[in-house]
Amino acid sequence: MKLSESMTTPTDSTTSFDDLIQARKDMKNLVSEYSQLDPLIRQHQQLLTYLLLTQQNPQQSTVIQQIAVSINSNSKRLDEIHSLVEKNKKIVEKGFEREKG
């Protein structure tokens, strides 16, 4: 479940109202995705630990390899989400500054 990579971030120093609204929507979606991925990664880590301790040849287990790949890709996505949330926070903060001023 990945959101579109084309989330809006304005290139100039001004933030339009549309950018502000889009940033708020994006943040809501990103936080939702994060809240789903984080527990999934934790479950996969627990399962991976269990399998590593109980399998006779864990290096040859395709299940272990698939779980490790899943943990890695989901962790990368969490990093992307964190970065996008920070960008959108800046847009929202700029919007709030404009509303006050």
Side-chain angles (χ1 to χ4, degrees):
M1 172 176 103
K2 283 192 176 184
L3 296 175
S4 170
E5 297 298 331
S6 64
M7 295 195 174
T8 59
T9 53
T11 55
D12 60 357
S13 62
T14 62
T15 303
S16 71
F17 183 72
D18 291 336
D19 292 333
L20 177 62
I21 297 301
Q22 187 63 45
R24 287 179 180 172
K25 287 179 184 178
D26 290 347
M27 282 180 55
K28 184 177 180 180
N29 291 334
L30 290 167
V31 167
S32 174
E33 185 178 358
Y34 187 95
S35 68
Q36 293 172 6
L37 280 178
D38 190 47
L40 181 65
I41 290 172
R42 293 177 195 276
Q43 289 173 350
H44 284 168
Q45 288 171 332
Q46 290 174 349
L47 179 59
L48 181 62
T49 302
Y50 172 77
L51 290 173
L52 287 171
L53 294 173
T54 58
Q55 296 271 326
Q56 288 184 357
N57 293 322
Q59 296 88 353
Q60 297 175 354
S61 172
T62 57
V63 172
I64 289 177
Q65 292 171 5
Q66 291 170 350
I67 292 171
V69 167
S70 175
I71 291 170
N72 187 34
S73 64
N74 287 335
S75 294
K76 286 180 182 178
R77 181 61 186 151
L78 285 184
D79 290 341
E80 292 172 6
I81 290 171
H82 179 72
S83 175
L84 290 169
V85 166
E86 290 302 315
K87 287 178 185 177
N88 285 321
K89 276 184 183 179
K90 290 178 184 176
I91 294 169
V92 171
E93 287 171 1
K94 263 189 206 178
F96 283 134
E97 289 173 6
R98 288 175 118 213
E99 290 174 5
K100 289 180 183 177

